């Protein structure tokens, strides 16, 4: 396709693909108050980039693997009770970010544009990334679709779901893998430091207009897609980094939704 | 050794004829070398309401969780009637307003039930008008009634209720206990519940277990309320116990908010 030869349209399609997945997945992150966990996994992505570059494998795979490792480490840490959860998250988050920056600066033989990875770069998306995003995105959506009901049940109450036969532990583990996958897929467009915003802000804006979990998920996807398109056009027009441009567009929706809701309640 | 109160002869006759739903023998659960549950032996039969009371940290919730199979235990036995259908109501669930769930959606979280079934159980617990309301808008009492209705959907033989009146205002507490007692009558199910206050639950319970890691005493509620172990556990001076609890209110609260002195 000629359209996809153009770097800008590649970025737009990549962004749309990522935003579509971010809606339903982001809902669960918000409902389960896991945004800080998402952040921690995202911050480990730079280390994933370094690992991927070092092993000379696809960087998405590197990021995915390291994010999973961090998630597993968190799982282990949650079993101890001396340190509060947020202290563990904060430690892991910054440790992995620092390790990532150090590793990349030590690998002098590899040229990595740090800014591009931290804040997203529309020039960076190639055709392979598009295959990954749509292939991986489809898989994530499929798994999420199959797990939707049990995930919702354990989000409502863990204990109750467990007592009613939901395999809580297994589903929580798969959910972590899905978060890791989305982070790996959206890293190039949104940037490591801002990845979780695409998971959280659009669905939070959609909450104001939603009467059911599904409405909120679809609304989140829709707002995410529009934010991506607006953000990328501004990024193109004013030569700004793509991640922040998309995030600001999403934040505008968030404020608009809240102001609208306030007005309605008056 | 747990101090057991002699139950009256006819009560033991009733339980002997009833079908046993759940029984434990010397159930023991350790955490870091400490006994959270020590040699708990209890029985719940069909049509019987058993209430577990005890102070904070006495192992009430741990006991329920072990009985439900949610946590492993270290020694002893749990015997359940084969394929026992349990309706469970965990400790007060807080639904975050960011999760858009209506009442009827809550009913369908793990099972699939028809509109008609859902309407019926909501009617039974007196909250059918709330069917389309958002979960976070419910009051404490309304929410617990919805959760009770939800437990009924599974057509339970045994209801396991962890502090069912938590978050319910004082007036609603006894109403909720009355509802539980009437559900027991209409469904013929057994009820095992945890409560923090013996005196509110008293009227609607058949048997009370006083728990503090081990079973301190058990029996009919009136007997337990006078038992020295119970009084010691709740820090009630036995000389004053009756004076504290047999008091009378000398006025009535009307719905309009006015008070009326009772005529002696």
């Amino acid at each position: 396709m000629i359209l996809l030869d153009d770097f800008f349209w590649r970025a737009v399609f990549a962004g749309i693909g990522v935003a579509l997945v971010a809606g339903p997945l982001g809902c669960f992150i918000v409902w389960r108050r896991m945004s800080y966990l998402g952040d921690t996994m995202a911050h480990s992505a730079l280390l994933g980039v370094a690992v991927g570059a070092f092993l000379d494998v696809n960087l998405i795979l590197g990021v995915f693997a390291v994010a999973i490792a961090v998630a597993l480490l968190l799982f282990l840490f949650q079993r101890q009770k001396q340190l509060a959860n947020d202290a563990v998250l904060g430690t892991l988050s910054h440790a992995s970010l620092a390790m990532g920056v150090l590793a990349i600066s030590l690998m002098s033989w590899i040229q990595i544009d740090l800014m591009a990875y931290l804040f997203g770069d529309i020039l960076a998306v190639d055709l392979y990334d598009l295959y990954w995003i749509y292939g991986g995105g489809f898989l994530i959506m499929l798994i999420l679709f199959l797990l939707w009901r049990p995930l919702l049940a354990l989000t409502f109450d863990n204990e109750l779901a467990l007592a009613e036969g939901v395999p809580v532990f297994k589903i929580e583990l798969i959910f972590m893998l899905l978060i890791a996958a989305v982070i790996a897929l959206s890293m190039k467009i949104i940037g490591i430091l801002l990845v979780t915003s695409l998971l959280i802000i659009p669905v939070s804006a959609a909450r104001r207009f939603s009467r059911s979990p599904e409405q909120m998920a679809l609304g989140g996807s829709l707002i995410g897609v529009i934010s991506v398109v607006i953000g990328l056009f501004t990024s193109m027009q004013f030569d700004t980094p793509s991640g922040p441009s998309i995030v600001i567009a999403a934040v505008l929706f968030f404020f608009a939704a809240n102001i609208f809701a306030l007005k309605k309640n008056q | 050794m747990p101090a057991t109160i002699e139950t009256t002869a006819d009560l033991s006759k009733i339980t002997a004829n009833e079908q046993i739903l759940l029984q434990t023998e010397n159930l023991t659960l350790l955490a870091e070398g400490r006994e959270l549950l020590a040699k708990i032996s209890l029985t719940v039969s069909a049509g019987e309401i058993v209430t577990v009371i005890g102070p904070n940290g006495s192992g009430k919730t741990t006991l329920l969780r072990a009985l439900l199979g949610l946590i492993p235990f270290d020694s002893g036995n749990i015997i359940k009637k084969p394929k026992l259908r349990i309706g469970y109501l965990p400790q007060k669930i807080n639904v975050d307003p960011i999760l858009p769930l209506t009442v009827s959606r809550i009913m369908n979280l793990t099972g699939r039930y028809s509109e008609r079934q859902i309407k019926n159980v909501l009617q039974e617990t007196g909250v059918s008008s709330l069917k389309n309301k958002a979960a976070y808008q419910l009051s404490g009492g309304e929410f617990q009634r919805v959760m009770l209705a939800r437990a009924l959907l599974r057509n339970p033989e045994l209801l396991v209720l962890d502090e069912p009146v938590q978050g319910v205002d004082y007036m609603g507490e006894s109403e909720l206990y009355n509802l539980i007692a009437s559900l027991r009558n209409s469904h013929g199910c057994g009820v095992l519940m945890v409560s923090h206050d013996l005196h509110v639950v008293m009227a609607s319970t058949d048997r009370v277990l006083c728990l503090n890691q081990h079973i301190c005493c058990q029996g009919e509620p009136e007997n337990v309320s006078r038992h020295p172990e119970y009084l010691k556990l709740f820090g009630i001076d036995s000389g004053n116990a009756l004076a504290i609890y047999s008091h009378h209110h000398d006025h009535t609260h009307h719905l309009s908010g006015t008070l009326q002195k009772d005529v002696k």
Side-chain angles (χ1 to χ4, degrees):
Chain A
M1 274 209 286
I2 295 171
L3 196 60
L4 294 182
D5 288 338
D6 186 272
F7 74 90
F8 177 70
W9 287 103
R10 279 200 303 266
V12 169
F13 280 107
I16 289 174
V18 166
L20 286 174
V21 183
L25 200 72
C27 276
F28 282 107
I29 291 181
V30 169
W31 293 335
R32 308 189 62 204
R33 299 168 174 247
M34 290 170 75
S35 58
Y36 203 15
L37 175 116
D39 239 15
T40 303
M41 284 164 82
H43 283 182
S44 75
L46 201 60
L47 188 60
V49 169
V51 170
F54 185 76
L55 298 175
D56 199 21
V57 295
N58 188 303
L59 296 185
I60 290 177
L61 275 182
V63 172
F64 184 55
V66 171
I68 288 171
V70 168
L72 290 178
L73 216 58
L74 274 170
F75 244 68
L76 290 178
F77 265 115
Q78 271 169 358
R79 289 172 173 267
Q80 58 87 41
K81 293 198 171 83
Q82 264 84 40
L83 263 182
N85 222 350
D86 69 323
V88 173
L89 283 170
T91 307
L92 276 176
S93 162
H94 298 123
S96 58
L97 184 62
M99 278 161 72
V101 176
L102 280 184
I104 285 174
S105 67
L106 285 176
M107 291 193 293
S108 52
W109 64 95
I110 296 168
Q111 287 290 317
I112 287 180
D113 180 2
L114 208 55
M115 276 294 277
Y117 278 103
L118 289 179
F119 297 110
D121 182 2
I122 49 171
L123 294 169
V125 179
D126 60 30
L127 209 52
Y128 282 108
D129 290 324
L130 269 186
Y131 295 152
W132 272 96
I133 287 171
Y134 278 87
F138 178 76
L139 203 65
I140 294 171
M141 290 293 245
L142 184 70
I143 295 171
L144 209 53
F145 179 76
L146 295 174
L147 294 187
W148 188 263
R149 280 174 59 85
L151 252 174
L152 204 57
L154 71 86
T155 300
F156 179 68
D157 190 68
N158 234 323
E159 286 277 309
L160 193 62
L162 201 61
E164 293 181 356
V166 175
V168 169
F169 183 75
K170 203 170 87 186
I171 287 174
E172 278 184 332
L173 211 62
I174 297 174
F175 182 65
M176 293 275 235
L177 295 185
L178 295 184
I179 300 178
V182 166
I183 286 169
L185 294 179
S186 39
M187 169 187 63
K188 274 197 179 172
I189 290 285
I190 314 287
I192 287 159
L193 293 182
L194 296 169
V195 158
T196 34
S197 62
L198 195 65
L199 292 165
I200 293 159
I201 301 170
V203 291
S204 299
R207 170 63 185 102
R208 297 293 182 188
F209 312 103
S210 312
R211 293 268 301 146
S212 74
E214 292 73 22
Q215 278 177 12
M216 185 163 153
L218 289 179
S221 290
L222 190 69
I223 293 174
V225 166
I226 301 172
S227 305
V228 162
V229 173
I230 294 176
L232 287 179
F233 269 98
T234 2
S235 167
M236 178 76 164
Q237 198 69 35
F238 302 104
D239 196 23
T240 50
S242 58
S245 313
I246 293 169
V247 171
I248 294 300
V251 168
L252 288 178
F253 274 106
F254 178 80
F255 280 122
N258 279 290
I259 290 167
F260 180 79
L262 276 178
K263 279 258 164 75
K264 218 172 77 176
N265 287 343
Q266 268 170 6
Chain B
M1 278 299 284
T4 311
I5 293 175
E6 286 298 316
T7 49
T8 50
D10 46 345
L11 180 77
S12 52
K13 211 165 69 196
I14 292 168
T15 46
N17 292 336
E18 288 292 346
Q19 184 188 22
I20 291 176
L21 299 174
L22 179 96
Q23 193 165 31
T24 71
E25 289 164 350
N26 292 324
L27 182 72
T28 298
L29 195 146
L30 308 167
E32 291 161 13
R34 209 165 65 89
E35 278 183 330
L36 291 187
L37 297 174
K39 298 194 172 171
I40 308 288
S41 297
L42 63 86
T43 306
V44 186
S45 302
E48 179 189 36
I49 298 184
V50 178
T51 302
V52 180
I53 58 164
N56 283 337
S58 59
K60 302 185 297 273
T61 297
T62 309
L63 176 62
L64 293 195
R65 297 185 73 212
L67 292 177
L68 290 164
L70 300 181
I71 44 170
F73 53 94
D74 293 280
S75 65
N77 280 315
I78 298 177
I79 306 149
K80 284 179 200 165
K81 177 182 176 259
K83 292 189 181 154
L84 179 68
R85 290 188 307 274
I86 296 178
Y88 173 45
L89 199 134
Q91 266 190 28
K92 178 92 179 79
I93 297 170
N94 286 309
V95 182
D96 207 307
I98 196 144
L99 179 59
L101 279 183
T102 59
V103 167
S104 58
R105 191 61 195 270
I106 288 175
M107 309 302 275
N108 270 325
L109 274 177
T110 50
R112 285 179 200 274
Y113 303 98
S114 68
E115 284 281 314
R116 195 192 169 80
Q117 285 171 301
I118 290 172
K119 214 180 120 201
N120 284 344
V121 287
L122 287 175
Q123 234 152 28
E124 262 191 273
T125 59
V127 284
S128 55
S129 61
L130 304 176
K131 203 166 85 64
N132 296 315
K133 228 175 168 189
Y136 72 93
Q137 291 175 322
L138 304 179
S139 74
E142 288 170 340
F143 189 82
Q144 292 303 78
R145 280 165 188 265
V146 167
M147 294 306 291
L148 261 179
R150 189 179 178 281
L152 291 179
L153 278 175
R154 304 171 76 85
N155 192 20
E157 298 163 281
L158 175 67
L159 282 173
V160 177
L161 316 173
D162 196 348
E163 297 261 16
V165 299
Q166 220 174 63
V168 178
D169 61 83
Y170 190 74
M171 288 297 283
E173 280 190 11
S174 50
E175 278 173 27
L176 201 56
Y177 282 129
N178 288 341
L179 173 67
I180 291 166
S182 80
L183 291 177
R184 179 269 310 262
N185 294 335
S186 54
H187 289 252
C189 54
V191 178
L192 176 64
M193 65 178 163
V194 156
S195 172
H196 62 285
D197 187 345
L198 175 59
H199 290 267
V200 184
V201 79
M202 215 153 162
S204 44
T205 191
D206 300 319
R207 226 146 36 79
V208 173
L209 295 177
C210 189
L211 187 74
N212 190 21
Q213 270 68 56
H214 63 285
I215 295 178
C216 297
C217 55
Q218 59 176 311
E220 290 180 320
E222 287 78 13
N223 294 339
V224 168
S225 70
R226 274 183 246 122
H227 195 279
E229 284 280 344
Y230 165 78
L231 298 170
K232 202 173 81 191
L233 190 60
F234 283 88
I236 303 164
D237 179 9
S238 49
N240 289 331
L242 292 174
I244 292 171
Y245 283 104
S246 59
H247 70 292
H248 291 284
H249 290 244
D250 63 346
H251 60 276
T252 312
H253 291 263
H254 287 280
L255 284 175
S256 60
T258 54
L259 297 179
Q260 186 186 16
K261 270 267 186 209
D262 288 345
V263 186
K264 293 265 160 146

